[in-house]
Amino acid sequence: MTGSAQGHAALDRIDLLGSAPFVLVHLGCFLVFWAGFSWVALGVAVLLYGVRMFGITAGFHRYFSHRSFKTSRGFQFVLAYLGTMAGQMGPLWWASHHRHHHRFSDTEEDIHSPVIRGFFWSHVGWILTWRYADTNWKAIRDFEPYPELRFLNRFHYIAPLSLLLVLLGMGLFVERFVPTLHTTALQMVVWGFFISTVLLYHGTFSINTVCHLFGSRRYETKDHSRNNWLFALLTLGEGWHNNHHRYPGSERQGFYWWEIDLTHIGLKILSYMGLVYDLKSPPASVYAQGRLEKADTAKC
């Protein structure tokens, strides 16, 4: 093995210390056997899954990665904080690597292609290694000037830890002052943080893996992206992945009314409130191409 190859192999080894928080969040789910269940804790888990998934899909992905709509500097930070609470590193780290993925999708230089390096590497392996621990600043120059974003990107653990502490405080309050809800502080932490966060992890990661392997292809893109309605529902619209790879600059990824895209619906509501604006849509030529290619497929 050459020195260069050895260096690449070393970078691809799992960073045991850096991966510890990711592993511990998964292990924290097993506390459910001691915490038990309550409807309040489950409701909080579902709510936080939705809110933080929106932070990832609308914030990290459609805004910071693709700039598919505009917003104010203040709400820009709100989106960044919501996404960072999901425990998937900082907004600039996330967006810079995602931009690289689009540039080299399903080629040897792609960061997480299941076609090139297999399912495990694409799903979780790449984020556990040394190779991609740093932010690719060359790919995210447009957002680098904002000090608040650089701070959040550097100290990204603050956001999920603040959520954990809030859940603990809420749980202690409910446990002491509203005992009729039969909800404990441990339940709030286990369901609201650990279980919800793990589901967020794998919901997000499934777009890198499942949606490059299973589903339909409306557009003959150069990569292996696919539309998958089930994962579109689980990820608030991200599962319309072949649509997205055909026209990444679109804010909406469900191009047609029957392609449910909850993130798009949420952003439309925010646009009516004046919090976001200039939502970009696919041009007519992209819709026409989709209808043409679908018709050609049907004939076959």
Side-chain angles (χ1 to χ4, degrees), residues 34-90:
W34 287 270
F37 170 84
S38 77
W39 288 107
V40 172
L42 176 62
V44 169
V46 172
L47 175 64
L48 287 175
Y49 176 91
V51 168
R52 292 187 291 165
M53 181 63 84
F54 185 81
I56 292 290
T57 61
F60 279 22
H61 190 201
R62 306 188 194 195
Y63 180 70
F64 288 106
S65 297
H66 296 292
R67 307 204 69 162
S68 62
F69 61 92
K70 296 177 182 178
T71 188
S72 65
R73 184 169 178 173
F75 198 69
Q76 171 181 277
F77 185 77
V78 170
L79 289 173
Y81 202 88
L82 287 178
T84 308
M85 285 198 306
Q88 298 180 24
M89 303 288 281

Side-chain angles (χ1 to χ4, degrees), residues 35-48 167 174 181-193 195-196:
F37 170 84
S38 77
W39 288 107
V40 172
L42 176 62
V44 169
V46 172
L47 175 64
L48 287 175
L167 286 169
V174 170
L181 293 178
H182 306 291
T183 301
T184 67
L186 184 58
Q187 286 174 352
M188 291 288 276
V189 168
V190 171
W191 287 91
F193 185 79
I195 293 176
S196 180

Side-chain angles (χ1 to χ4, degrees), residues 13 20-21 23 60 67 88 144 155 243 291:
R13 291 174 188 159
V23 175
F60 279 22
R67 307 204 69 162
Q88 298 180 24
E144 187 182 5
F155 301 104
N243 292 355
R291 288 191 293 269

Side-chain angles (χ1 to χ4, degrees), residues 13-26 87-89 93 124-134 156-157 201:
R13 291 174 188 159
I14 292 178
D15 174 11
L16 296 177
L17 181 61
S19 302
F22 180 80
V23 175
L24 289 173
V25 171
H26 281 77
Q88 298 180 24
M89 303 288 281
W93 178 91
V124 296
W126 73 279
I127 64 171
L128 303 179
T129 67
W130 291 97
R131 183 184 292 274
Y132 304 111
D134 297 329
H156 55 85
Y157 51 83
Y201 282 154

Side-chain angles (χ1 to χ4, degrees), residues 227-262:
N227 288 336
N228 189 303
W229 67 268
L230 176 60
F231 283 89
L233 292 177
L234 294 174
T235 60
L236 309 187
E238 299 294 295
W240 305 116
H241 203 52
N242 180 241
N243 292 355
H244 172 61
H245 271 264
R246 173 59 186 85
Y247 198 78
S250 172
E251 167 275 321
R252 64 180 304 168
Q253 296 185 14
F255 285 179
Y256 298 90
W257 66 265
W258 61 86
E259 295 177 339
I260 299 174
D261 184 347
L262 294 178

Side-chain angles (χ1 to χ4, degrees), residues 264-279:
H264 168 65
I265 294 173
L267 286 170
K268 288 293 288 184
I269 293 172
L270 291 176
S271 72
Y272 298 145
M273 299 168 63
L275 292 173
V276 302
Y277 60 98
D278 195 16
L279 277 62

